[in-house]
Amino acid sequence: MSQQTTLNEQQKNKLVNKVSAIRFYLGIGNFDEAKEEAFSAEQSLIEKGMSPFGIITFYEHIAMDFANIRDFDTAAKLLNSCLAFLDNNKTFFDDAFYSRVRELAENARENMVMQQSNNSVRADS
C-alpha cells in the first residue's frame, strides 16, 4: 500500500482546528479541557476522515505542547497513544517511515517519563 504523507486542504483544516482548540485551552489554563480534547481527538479525527499520517502529525504536535507546559505525564500518555495508533495502522506506512516515527516517539516518550521522574525528585527535595 502506498503511503500518503500529505494532507488535503480539508484534512489540514480539521487538524488545525483540533490543534488550535487544544492550544486555546492550554493558553487559558484550562488543562483538564485540553487533556479531554487531546485524548478524544484520535477518534474524532478518524470520524472526520483524517488520514493515519494526519493523526500521527497531530500526536507529534500535541504531545510536545504538553511537554512545553511541563506536563510530561500527559505528553508520555499521548505518545503511548501515538505508538498504539502507529502499530494498529502499520500497513499504511512504508517500513522506513514506520520505523523512524516509532523510534522518535519511543525516544520522546522515554524523555517525558525521565522528565516526570526528575520533577518528582525535585518536588520531594
Side-chain angles (χ1 to χ4, degrees), residues 63-75:
M64 293 306 108
D65 287 345
F66 279 94
N68 286 337
I69 64 162
R70 305 191 69 68
D71 184 348
F72 301 112
D73 183 53
T74 300

Side-chain angles (χ1 to χ4, degrees), residues 18 22 26 31 33-43 45 55-69 71-86 105-106 108-110 112-113:
K18 185 57 82 172
I22 294 166
L26 289 173
F31 303 123
E33 189 68 27
K35 288 178 190 180
E36 188 176 313
E37 284 284 327
F39 287 113
S40 67
E42 179 181 316
Q43 188 59 39
L45 289 169
I55 292 170
I56 294 298
T57 302
F58 165 81
Y59 277 125
E60 289 176 330
H61 289 280
I62 292 304
M64 293 306 108
D65 287 345
F66 279 94
N68 286 337
I69 64 162
D71 184 348
F72 301 112
D73 183 53
T74 300
K77 288 176 182 174
L78 287 165
L79 288 166
N80 283 339
S81 296
C82 177
L83 289 165
F85 180 83
L86 187 65
E106 286 174 346
R109 180 188 60 194
E110 288 172 20
M112 298 307 152
V113 170

Side-chain angles (χ1 to χ4, degrees), residues 8-25:
N8 65 37
E9 201 60 38
Q10 188 177 27
Q11 289 174 323
K12 286 178 191 175
N13 290 336
K14 289 174 186 172
L15 190 59
V16 166
N17 288 341
K18 185 57 82 172
V19 169
S20 295
I22 294 166
R23 288 179 176 165
F24 169 77
Y25 289 125

Side-chain angles (χ1 to χ4, degrees), residues 13 29 47 51 60 65 70 78 88 90 104 111:
N13 290 336
E47 289 169 1
S51 72
E60 289 176 330
D65 287 345
R70 305 191 69 68
L78 287 165
N88 290 336
K90 185 177 181 176
L104 290 171
N111 287 335

